[in-house]
Amino acid sequence: MDIIGEIGDSRHYTLHSHTEFCDGRAQMEAFARKAVEMNFDLYGFSPHSPVPVTSSCNMLAGNVERYLDEVKRITERHGKHVRFFASMEIDYLGDEWGPSHPFFQSIPLDYRIGSVHFVPTPEGEQIDVDGSFERFSQRMHAKFNNDIRYVVEKFYEHSIQMVQKGGFDIIGHFDKIGENSNHFRPGIEDESWYQALVSELIDNIISHKIIVEINTKVFAERGRLFPAVRYWEKLIRNNVPIVVNSDAHVPALINASRNEAFTMLDNIKQQISH
């Protein structure tokens, strides 16, 4: 699927959302109705993928067929108003699991989002480093001996590996670790080694022609966008295709902060053109 071509000039879309099939807080039908109500042109469902570890946030492999059937039902019911897509936010866990795995390539999805949420401990245990800072801090102490540099390096190492292996269309919130790591050690995102890791990831995104998501989920609450605005100019100058996604977990937020993100994008593009 040509995602950018499908979007065209529209700004009435989101390609990243979570429902009852993972950690979303409402059923797909409620999200679909909200998309119709808000005059969206395109709407993508993207449950957190099945993973071979215990996770309350991820969908079960046994529910994949039911999920695809629900997308079809919603399309039949609401498709004359909004174009609905079946996607999945696929977790990369290393060589053994990620978007390029045959399991995900066999699922008839319209597009795939590749994301990193888990970081392995030195012993190989996969730990979810997403979520609240309180939980992150607890896991840093209990699982990583408070070694924040190790966690950050593994996050970006896995992100780069995921891009190189391919099998997906959009990279989700590619510097998400920055928020929690900056809470844990203020100023870490300005350190040269951290910046070098992000730069290497962006270089790989450019060379592999991956679409970048600007994720607006927490902007209204915490003033943060993923990736951070500081990286947008490099993406734009290198003609990286960009989509703006709300990553909504409740129907009311399917368009949250997207207009603000588009305004920032427009301003940067205007500055570059002058």
Side-chain angles (χ1 to χ4, degrees), residues 4 13 211-214 232 235-236 240-244 265:
I4 301 303
Y13 71 86
I211 299 170
V212 164
E213 162 192 271
I214 291 176
W232 295 10
L235 297 170
I236 294 167
V240 174
I242 294 171
V243 295
V244 179
L265 269 175

Side-chain angles (χ1 to χ4, degrees), residues 5 45 104 136 139 168 183 195 207 247 253 266:
F45 296 104
F104 295 113
F136 179 81
R139 293 182 174 186
F168 66 101
H183 275 289
Q195 286 291 301
S207 64
D247 191 1
L253 298 179
D266 290 341

Side-chain angles (χ1 to χ4, degrees), residues 110-167:
D110 293 307
Y111 60 90
R112 294 164 180 81
I113 300 172
S115 295
V116 174
H117 298 93
F118 293 82
V119 167
T121 66
E123 296 74 32
E125 181 184 1
Q126 295 286 351
I127 302 298
D128 186 350
V129 294
D130 200 19
S132 70
F133 173 64
E134 290 73 22
R135 189 179 73 167
F136 179 81
S137 183
Q138 292 168 359
R139 293 182 174 186
M140 279 298 303
H141 176 72
K143 300 294 185 179
F144 297 106
N145 196 31
N146 292 323
D147 189 347
I148 187 62
R149 181 156 179 165
Y150 168 88
V151 170
V152 169
E153 287 179 340
K154 280 296 179 184
F155 178 91
Y156 285 111
E157 175 187 318
H158 274 198
S159 297
I160 291 166
Q161 289 173 358
M162 180 178 71
V163 169
Q164 292 174 345
K165 282 182 171 292

Side-chain angles (χ1 to χ4, degrees), residues 48-60 91 118 128 135:
H48 289 289
S49 70
V51 289
V53 296
T54 301
S55 171
S56 60
C57 294
N58 292 71
M59 76 183 302
L60 299 174
D91 277 295
F118 293 82
D128 186 350
R135 189 179 73 167

